């Protein structure tokens, strides 16, 4: 597996240190830039990291000491995680399908329908606000999505990078997800689909995207994440809603004319 991933021993040690609330996490000296990537990855992907606001680094006798900045007491962190776990159980009961892909879609839809985009400068950037307060930023959407996927055993990562804001066309810091279904990775951006949704009906412009597709308006360090090469994972292609010509459009409309809502990609 390429890139920073669960098998990375430094990432594992950082997560274990956070879980145990260690004041200092000691690792053998290596490239500090790579070590900082592992720390960011831990902040995005470890549930216990909701109480961490960053790290400091000290080099001592060939060993790097990572000093987590804990902003919450251990008891408070455990309480918040317990609340999130309880909420996750309820979501899984409602969204679990026989098909893994459709399960991932159901969770995507649930977040879009029930979570408001709002920045409180604190818990909206974690899984806490979307799961217990019903609002989030892109960080919160992606971390909540991962936490729910984790609960169902579906491999999922939080991707940290930049994306082009559809409203301003400016690049801004952004977070989204990658999920693995049937051994194939793809991108899911719940926040962007939330932004383009039509009335109460979810859109799937950013569900199941390949690297090629997501890189049209997203930027991230590809070396740190798995490859997503299957275009067939895209929602509209998988559901035969990808319109490539007039004949396909006419055929699709005839087939689905009785449906109340039709969502396609042209």
């Amino acid at each position: 597996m390429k890139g920073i991933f669960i098998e990375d021993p430094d990432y594992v040690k950082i997560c274990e240190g956070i879980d145990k609330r260690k004041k200092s996490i000691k690792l053998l000296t290596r490239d500090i830039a790579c070590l900082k990537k592992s720390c960011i990855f831990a902040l995005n992907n470890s549930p216990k990291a909701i109480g961490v606001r960053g790290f400091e680094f000290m080099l001592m006798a060939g060993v790097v000491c990572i000093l987590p900045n804990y902003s919450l007491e251990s008891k408070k962190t455990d309480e918040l995680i317990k609340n999130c776990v309880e909420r996750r159980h309820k979501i899984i009961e409602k969204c679990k399908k026989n098909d893994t892909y459709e399960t991932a879609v159901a969770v995507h839809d649930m977040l879009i329908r029930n979570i408001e985009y709002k920045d409180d400068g604190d818990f909206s950037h974690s899984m806490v606000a979307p799961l217990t307060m019903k609002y989030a930023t892109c960080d919160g959407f992606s971390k909540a999505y991962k936490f729910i996927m984790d609960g169902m055993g579906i491999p999922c990562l939080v991707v940290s990078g930049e994306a082009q804001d559809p409203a301003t066309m400016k690049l801004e810091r952004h977070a989204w997800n990658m999920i693995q279904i049937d051994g194939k990775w793809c991108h899911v951006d719940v926040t962007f689909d939330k932004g383009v949704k039509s009335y109460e009906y979810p859109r799937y412009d950013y569900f199941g995207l390949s690297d090629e597709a997501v890189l049209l308006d997203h930027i991230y360090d590809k070396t740190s994440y798995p490859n997503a090469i299957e275009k067939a994972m895209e929602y509209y292609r998988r559901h035969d809603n990808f319109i490539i010509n007039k004949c396909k459009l006419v055929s699709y409309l005839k087939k689905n004319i009785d449906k109340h809502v039709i969502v396609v990609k042209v």
Side-chain angles (χ1 to χ4, degrees):
M1 182 66 66
K2 79 179 186 71
I4 300 170
F5 199 61
I6 305 304
E7 289 82 356
D8 175 20
D10 287 343
Y11 166 72
V12 173
K13 288 180 180 178
I14 293 168
C15 288
E16 289 177 348
I18 292 173
D19 288 348
K20 296 177 181 178
R21 302 280 297 186
K22 288 186 176 181
K23 295 182 178 179
S24 175
I25 304 168
K26 297 180 180 180
L27 300 172
L28 294 178
T29 305
R30 70 168 196 172
D31 187 288
I32 296 297
C34 289
L35 193 58
K36 288 182 178 179
K37 283 185 180 181
S38 295
C39 288
I40 292 173
F41 204 77
L43 282 177
N44 287 333
N45 290 275
S46 173
K48 286 288 184 76
I50 60 173
V52 179
R53 290 296 179 265
F55 301 91
E56 293 182 9
F57 301 87
M58 292 180 60
L59 182 59
M60 297 169 47
V63 174
V64 176
C65 293
I66 303 174
L67 311 176
N69 176 15
Y70 297 105
S71 61
L72 297 174
E73 295 294 331
S74 179
K75 184 178 180 180
K76 181 62 175 179
T77 299
D78 291 341
E79 178 187 341
L80 291 172
I81 291 176
K82 179 182 177 182
N83 293 339
C84 288
V85 169
E86 291 175 355
R87 176 60 181 149
R88 180 173 69 178
H89 286 329
K90 295 178 181 179
I91 293 172
I92 290 175
E93 286 179 1
K94 293 180 179 180
C95 296
K96 185 72 172 179
K97 311 293 183 184
N98 292 327
D99 180 79
T100 303
Y101 190 96
E102 295 306 322
T103 296
V105 170
V107 176
H108 163 279
D109 293 355
M110 185 281 303
L111 291 176
I112 287 176
R113 287 191 172 104
N114 295 284
I115 311 302
E116 174 190 2
Y117 187 93
K118 176 183 172 182
D119 188 355
D120 66 4
D122 192 3
F123 288 128
S124 62
H125 293 268
S126 73
M127 65 182 184
V128 175
L131 292 178
T132 65
M133 307 171 195
K134 294 192 174 182
Y135 64 82
T137 60
C138 61
D139 293 321
F141 275 109
S142 58
K143 290 173 183 177
Y145 191 79
K146 173 182 167 49
F147 188 65
I148 298 168
M149 293 294 104
D150 287 349
M152 293 186 284
I154 301 174
C156 182
L157 304 172
V158 175
V159 183
S160 180
E162 294 180 312
Q164 190 176 55
D165 187 311
T168 65
M169 302 305 288
K170 294 181 179 179
L171 278 176
E172 297 181 356
R173 191 186 67 80
H174 190 52
W176 63 99
N177 296 98
M178 291 188 76
I179 57 174
Q180 186 186 51
I181 298 174
D182 298 329
K184 301 172 184 176
W185 287 93
C186 61
H187 296 263
V188 175
D189 193 333
V190 178
T191 307
F192 267 36
D193 274 345
K194 171 75 175 179
V196 298
K197 81 183 184 79
S198 303
Y199 303 99
E200 72 270 29
Y201 304 103
R203 290 277 294 272
Y204 305 95
D205 298 31
Y206 292 89
F207 192 97
L209 298 188
S210 63
D211 291 340
E212 180 183 353
V214 83
L215 284 170
L216 292 175
D217 53 11
H218 290 57
I219 298 174
Y220 68 105
D221 180 7
K222 282 190 64 179
T223 65
S224 296
Y225 299 92
N227 290 318
I229 59 176
E230 293 288 341
K231 292 184 178 180
M233 297 294 286
E234 293 180 15
Y235 179 91
Y236 293 118
R237 292 180 187 272
R238 192 178 179 98
H239 291 81
D240 198 28
N241 293 11
F242 193 82
I243 309 301
I244 58 176
N245 53 48
K246 291 183 180 179
C247 291
K248 180 66 182 292
L249 177 61
V250 171
S251 174
Y252 184 85
L253 291 175
K254 286 181 178 179
K255 182 180 177 181
N256 296 277
I257 196 66
D258 293 331
K259 293 184 178 179
H260 182 56
V261 177
I262 299 176
V263 181
V264 299
K265 184 175 182 180
V266 180

